Amino acid sequence: MDDFQSSFSSRNMEEGHELSPLALNQGLFGIVAAGALKVFRYVKDDQFAILDILVEGDFFHYGFPDAPGVRMFVYPDQIQAMTTSCLLYMDSTKLQELLRRDADLSSTYLDSMTGKLNQLHERFIHLGSYAADHKLAYLLEFLHSKGPGKADYPDLIPFNITRKDLASLAGLTLETASRILASFERSGLIRSGRGWVEILDYPGLSKLCRTEEL
Amino acid sequence: MDDFQSSFSSRNMEEGHELSPLALNQGLFGIVAAGALKVFRYVKDDQFAILDILVEGDFFHYGFPDAPGVRMFVYPDQIQAMTTSCLLYMDSTKLQELLRRDADLSSTYLDSMTGKLNQLHERFIHLGSYAADHKLAYLLEFLHSKGPGKADYPDLIPFNITRKDLASLAGLTLETASRILASFERSGLIRSGRGWVEILDYPGLSKLCRTEEL
DNA sequence: CGGGCTATTGAGGATTATCAACTGGTGTGG
DNA sequence: CCACACCAGTTGATAATCCTCAATAGCCCG
């Protein structure tokens, strides 16, 4: 595992640093060391689609398809005392070498990929063809499950997340997201403010995004 | 590569054979040898969500989360002369061993995973928050790009795909999908019938699912 | 021939997007 | 320190999209 650590090239990105210019050959593999990263793509003018949110310990793969343009963006985690996100990365040839040598890493990697794909499939189900309140309820659970949580606020989604971010992840508009979060708040399911959401009634939220009844 | 082939357990599934009973420990890795597979999950009664369609040569990973129930299903490819799909699979410990020994496989595997994840991200963008006609146009291109195509009908989506399947993949209802395909047909973009779609005007279809204008 | 499946079409209604105006918090710079 | 711009969020009216429900037609199969 020491081998694993030392084989990554690591750097503290300055705020707003774009990952694209770093383009490595073939594909990119990485692990997030601290904070949170928004993975997004511009789709029009200032509009963007958020693909995923990576948090501490997340593995990820990223390729560089023919289409140019900014694809990934690092932003400061503003909740955790303004610490800057840190990204460890390596190119895929290096990873390949490591996987061959390190059985532990290899095993962890396979589990991680399996989990990632299952997670994406779940997201397709819940964000695919349900009503807006179902989507948001699922999304809040999803995001909450990603973080380690802060000790004093265990049910606070542990990174900065705006209405616009939530809307983008769920495939809704900012206004709809706002209205639905307001109704969640009236029902006592959550508390929220500028850039943060805290879950108060986990079971109640879960009930809103069940896929099958018993 | 001979090592690679012989290490897979292969079998010709009978029609409608379910994969779940095969449950191996941890995760499942596989490659589709012939035909097409629908990967879906039941969400309610007889309703299902199609997660992906695997075609010949596709790699896939599949895990078995705590929740029980059918998750993957093998069905006969009804276009290609009623041949039955063939699935090669192995459990993750075996895969791990192979990846360590076989550099070619390891490289192919990493590229495949990178491609898969990128593909899923693209799907999130296009199926996330656009209009129904955009979604379907993208989906048709996506499905068409998956298959090798039949020699005499190169622009026919090379496997059985119903309106209900398309609707499920795009997160629409069967009726909406039908109406939009009818409008595509009136515009001369496609031809279609029971269980098949042929693309006539590829550029025209592409124009409907562009994410950014120049 | 009848039953089941795939697909089509229509009418009506519910949900959500769009457009717009407005509030209050945050950071900046004079 | 205050004025200012900007950003995140709220709320309302209206319109468009898509879903739901329903009826029907054609195809495939036993």
Side-chain angles (χ1 to χ4, degrees):
Chain A
M1 267 322 219
D2 188 50
D3 192 20
F4 169 61
Q5 290 286 0
S6 63
S7 291
F8 276 95
S9 51
S10 144
R11 69 172 68 180
N12 281 291
M13 309 268 182
E14 63 268 36
E15 298 184 14
H17 188 90
E18 294 176 7
L19 192 58
S20 274
L22 299 176
L24 304 170
N25 51 341
Q26 291 273 26
L28 181 69
F29 165 78
I31 179 170
V32 180
L37 306 176
K38 274 195 266 195
V39 182
F40 73 90
R41 232 192 82 179
Y42 286 113
V43 292
K44 198 191 297 181
D45 256 15
D46 62 339
Q47 295 224 346
F48 57 88
I50 294 187
L51 299 171
D52 202 358
I53 291 190
L54 305 172
V55 296
E56 186 170 347
D58 258 355
F59 284 66
F60 66 92
H61 256 291
Y62 203 78
F64 294 92
D66 35 28
V70 177
R71 294 292 179 113
M72 189 183 276
F73 198 78
V74 181
Y75 82 128
D77 171 0
Q78 296 181 348
I79 284 185
Q80 297 181 346
M82 302 300 289
T83 61
T84 300
S85 298
C86 172
L87 189 64
L88 305 165
Y89 67 94
M90 66 196 309
D91 66 27
S92 54
T93 54
K94 188 82 182 170
L95 170 64
Q96 195 176 320
E97 204 181 304
L98 262 185
L99 285 177
R100 201 156 45 245
R101 288 213 312 269
D102 188 331
D104 280 349
L105 174 61
S106 187
S107 170
T108 305
Y109 173 80
L110 286 179
D111 286 353
S112 164
M113 281 300 108
T114 306
K116 196 71 159 176
L117 288 169
N118 282 342
Q119 197 179 75
L120 287 172
H121 288 155
E122 282 302 306
R123 281 176 64 191
F124 268 116
I125 288 177
H126 289 276
L127 303 182
S129 53
Y130 286 98
D133 56 344
H134 178 119
K135 291 183 184 178
L136 276 176
Y138 171 75
L139 197 57
L140 291 178
E141 287 201 342
F142 174 75
L143 292 174
H144 179 259
S145 74
K146 288 191 83 85
K150 291 196 70 176
D152 36 351
Y153 295 100
D155 292 325
L156 184 71
I157 290 177
F159 41 83
N160 195 353
I161 189 93
T162 65
R163 298 285 186 277
K164 194 174 179 184
D165 290 340
L166 288 170
S168 169
L169 279 160
L172 302 169
T173 57
L174 188 157
E175 293 92 332
T176 305
S178 176
R179 276 182 250 264
I180 288 171
L181 288 187
S183 85
F184 283 179
E185 201 150 358
R186 276 193 298 275
S187 309
L189 296 172
I190 63 165
R191 291 199 314 139
S192 70
R194 285 172 80 87
W196 60 270
V197 180
E198 184 182 7
I199 297 178
L200 296 179
D201 180 4
Y202 213 84
L205 214 52
S206 289
K207 235 187 321 189
L208 290 177
C209 58
R210 291 259 175 268
T211 53
E212 21 198 346
E213 320 301 317
L214 293 182
Chain B
M1 267 324 220
D2 188 48
D3 191 19
F4 170 61
Q5 290 286 1
S6 63
S7 291
F8 277 94
S9 50
S10 147
R11 69 171 66 181
N12 281 292
M13 309 269 181
E14 63 269 35
E15 298 185 12
H17 186 89
E18 294 177 8
L19 192 58
S20 273
L22 300 176
L24 304 171
N25 51 341
Q26 292 275 25
L28 181 70
F29 166 79
I31 179 169
V32 180
L37 306 177
K38 272 194 268 196
V39 182
F40 72 92
R41 233 193 82 179
Y42 287 114
V43 291
K44 198 191 296 184
D45 257 17
D46 61 339
Q47 295 224 348
F48 57 88
I50 295 186
L51 298 172
D52 203 358
I53 291 191
L54 304 172
V55 297
E56 186 169 346
D58 258 354
F59 285 67
F60 66 93
H61 253 292
Y62 205 74
F64 294 94
D66 35 30
V70 177
R71 293 292 179 112
M72 189 183 275
F73 198 78
V74 182
Y75 84 126
D77 172 357
Q78 296 183 346
I79 283 184
Q80 297 181 345
M82 302 300 288
T83 59
T84 300
S85 298
C86 172
L87 189 64
L88 307 165
Y89 67 93
M90 66 194 313
D91 65 25
S92 54
T93 54
K94 189 79 181 170
L95 171 63
Q96 195 177 321
E97 202 182 305
L98 262 183
L99 286 178
R100 200 156 48 242
R101 288 215 311 272
D102 189 330
D104 280 350
L105 173 60
S106 187
S107 169
T108 305
Y109 172 80
L110 286 179
D111 286 352
S112 166
M113 281 301 110
T114 306
K116 197 68 155 179
L117 289 169
N118 281 342
Q119 199 180 72
L120 288 172
H121 287 155
E122 281 302 307
R123 281 176 65 193
F124 267 116
I125 288 177
H126 289 276
L127 303 182
S129 53
Y130 285 99
D133 56 344
H134 178 119
K135 291 183 183 177
L136 276 177
Y138 171 76
L139 197 58
L140 291 177
E141 287 200 344
F142 174 76
L143 292 174
H144 179 259
S145 73
K146 289 191 80 84
K150 291 195 69 174
D152 37 353
Y153 294 99
D155 292 325
L156 185 70
I157 289 176
F159 41 83
N160 195 354
I161 190 91
T162 66
R163 297 284 186 276
K164 193 175 179 184
D165 289 341
L166 288 170
S168 169
L169 278 160
L172 302 169
T173 58
L174 189 156
E175 294 92 331
T176 305
S178 178
R179 275 181 251 266
I180 288 171
L181 287 187
S183 85
F184 283 179
E185 200 149 1
R186 276 192 299 276
S187 310
L189 297 172
I190 63 163
R191 290 198 315 139
S192 70
R194 287 172 80 87
W196 61 269
V197 180
E198 185 183 5
I199 296 177
L200 297 180
D201 181 4
Y202 213 83
L205 214 52
S206 289
K207 235 187 320 189
L208 290 177
C209 56
R210 290 259 175 270
T211 52
E212 22 197 346
E213 321 301 317
L214 295 181

